[in-house]
Amino acid sequence: MTEKTIIRPEPLVIERHFDAPRAIVFQAWTTAEHMKNWFSPEHFTTPEAVIECRPGGRFDICMQAPDGQKFWNHGRFIDVVENESLSFEAGAHVDDSGNAPFAVRTFVTFTDDGDGSLMSVRQEYEIYDEAAKAMVGGAPEGWRTTLNKLEAEVARIKG
């Protein structure tokens, strides 16, 4: 049996300031209702989500491309500290084979920064399929546009 090489690129770290208390930003991460409004890059939608925001709870998100192709992330929450941090791990699935070409572990922290809040996202990747390197390589831009959508959702929650 041949061992597959696991590729571990440098972690991705992104920060974003929000003109809202950290409790509102945290809230946007913790229910399927909110996640469906923002958890996908520009031009994608999030038609399905199951979010059980507790250690061991499900983190299942479907991102849909404009052409209708669905990209699932199936995972579990590792840790949740209300209004402070959460972490989850997921495998990214681009088909129904059950094989994920890569896995990701995501750590999110929420802090007050004087005039709102600061959210930091750190992602660590394990790539199992060489072809998935391009998907992971596009993560910085994908996150930039995703966080623009999160900003709009936070403003909506804030009212």
Side-chain angles (χ1 to χ4, degrees):
M1 184 165 132
T2 306
E3 285 266 336
K4 281 193 170 185
T5 301
I6 297 173
I7 302 165
R8 290 184 177 88
E10 286 295 313
L12 171 67
V13 178
I14 296 176
E15 292 185 334
R16 179 71 69 105
H17 167 81
F18 292 90
D19 184 22
R22 65 182 174 167
I24 290 176
V25 183
F26 182 85
Q27 181 183 354
W29 279 87
T30 58
T31 69
E33 170 197 349
H34 294 306
M35 296 289 275
K36 286 180 181 182
N37 291 329
W38 70 269
F39 198 85
S40 59
E42 185 177 39
H43 307 301
F44 281 63
T45 60
T46 310
E48 300 175 58
V50 177
I51 302 297
E52 298 171 345
C53 193
R54 58 177 168 70
R58 288 173 59 191
F59 181 90
D60 294 336
I61 296 275
C62 176
M63 293 182 270
Q64 187 169 339
D67 67 4
Q69 185 175 8
K70 293 183 176 183
F71 300 87
W72 276 96
N73 288 285
H74 293 292
R76 299 260 178 241
F77 281 92
I78 301 165
D79 191 43
V80 177
V81 178
E82 188 172 354
N83 301 330
E84 291 183 18
S85 64
L86 55 85
S87 60
F88 56 92
E89 55 190 359
H93 300 268
V94 294
D95 57 32
D96 294 327
S97 69
N99 298 318
F102 69 92
V104 61
R105 185 172 278 192
T106 304
F107 304 88
V108 187
T109 59
F110 309 87
T111 55
D112 294 321
D113 73 353
D115 62 345
S117 58
L118 182 68
M119 181 196 70
S120 177
V121 176
R122 176 185 171 93
Q123 285 197 309
E124 299 172 355
Y125 302 94
E126 287 189 350
I127 301 172
Y128 311 122
D129 180 341
E130 186 83 18
K133 284 174 70 175
M135 286 187 252
V136 171
E141 177 60 13
W143 269 105
R144 186 188 68 76
T145 63
T146 298
L147 294 182
N148 290 344
K149 291 166 72 173
L150 173 57
E151 205 166 294
E153 179 67 5
V154 166
R156 189 185 73 75
I157 295 168
K158 185 179 169 186

